[in-house]
Amino acid sequence: MNHALRHAVHGLAVCATTLCLSAQAQAGKAAHVHGLMHLDIAVDKQLLIVQMESPLDSLLGFEHRPRTPSQRQAADALLKRMDDGATLFKPDAAAQCVLMDTRIESAVLQSTAPAAGSKDADKKSEHADLDASYEFSCTHPDKLTAVEIGLFDAFKRLQKIEVQVAGARSQSRQTLQRPDKLVKLTR
Ligand SMILES: [Zn+2]
């Protein structure tokens, strides 16, 4: 599946469970800029959905398939870290949010295709992304005012995060610069 289609399918899955993020955000890939990542955060009733899209370079320092044991190790460590959404994203404690679902997609890191084909694949796409989504269920969503982001602590190459927040009635955009941590949630 190509990148754009995969992203579109990803978006549909989210729309099925919560309000749809803006059509603009779903329409295509965000700009691929090293050191930058995009977050879409949506609050709908008890659900808090965080969708992340980042160049692999911002997280890992390279964007090709792992070629050496140390690169494989770094890739595995990254996937493990991304899987720990409760550390990367901390909603207000009073809201009592529990992480229910995590999805991580990165074709170059997760592919198990034989190495023979990987050289060609590397040539075709010089850049690669990692997409992730996290779904929290909150007992007291009325107490949700902000999400503390642990991404700058986790990823030293990351300098800037473009955030789009969608509440039930309004949307907002915020830009976090290292070492900002707090994304304010709008209703
Ligand atoms: Zn790149």
Side-chain angles (χ1 to χ4, degrees):
M1 205 180 287
N2 72 40
H3 231 88
L5 181 59
R6 188 155 52 81
H7 194 68
V9 169
H10 203 64
L12 286 176
V14 169
C15 285
T17 54
T18 184
L19 65 110
C20 297
L21 295 168
S22 80
Q24 193 185 10
Q26 300 295 346
K29 301 293 287 182
H32 180 106
V33 179
H34 292 181
L36 173 73
M37 75 159 64
H38 289 82
L39 281 184
D40 283 339
I41 300 179
V43 180
D44 181 29
K45 299 189 177 76
Q46 293 199 298
L47 289 180
L48 171 69
I49 312 272
V50 179
Q51 282 187 288
M52 201 193 95
E53 180 183 334
S54 175
L56 267 185
D57 184 87
S58 303
L59 308 173
L60 194 58
F62 60 88
E63 300 193 331
H64 53 73
R65 288 167 198 256
R67 295 177 186 132
T68 66
S70 70
Q71 285 174 353
R72 182 71 257 173
Q73 209 168 29
D76 289 344
L78 170 62
L79 292 172
K80 196 173 170 189
R81 189 162 236 178
M82 296 313 304
D83 203 35
D84 187 13
T87 299
L88 296 176
F89 305 102
K90 292 179 183 162
D92 302 81
Q96 296 185 15
C97 301
V98 177
L99 183 59
M100 306 295 284
D101 189 36
T102 301
R103 290 177 210 185
I104 299 163
E105 293 178 68
S106 181
V108 279
L109 299 188
Q110 292 167 326
S111 171
T112 52
S118 68
K119 280 183 185 171
D120 289 340
D122 284 350
K123 278 177 193 166
K124 274 178 206 161
S125 58
E126 292 174 13
H127 293 283
D129 289 336
L130 181 144
D131 294 346
S133 70
Y134 305 87
E135 189 174 310
F136 293 86
S137 178
C138 306
T139 307
H140 300 294
D142 53 305
K143 302 266 170 62
L144 271 179
T145 63
V147 179
E148 190 182 314
I149 307 290
L151 294 163
F152 286 127
D153 290 336
F155 305 110
K156 302 299 176 206
R157 300 175 68 85
L158 184 63
Q159 298 300 324
K160 194 172 163 184
I161 307 175
E162 297 280 0
V163 188
Q164 178 168 302
V165 177
R169 286 186 296 276
S170 68
Q171 294 197 354
S172 69
R173 286 178 182 276
Q174 295 161 54
T175 301
L176 300 191
Q177 299 271 6
R178 174 178 290 277
D180 297 345
K181 279 180 186 292
L182 224 52
V183 173
K184 288 177 192 137
L185 299 177
T186 44
R187 307 247 160 204

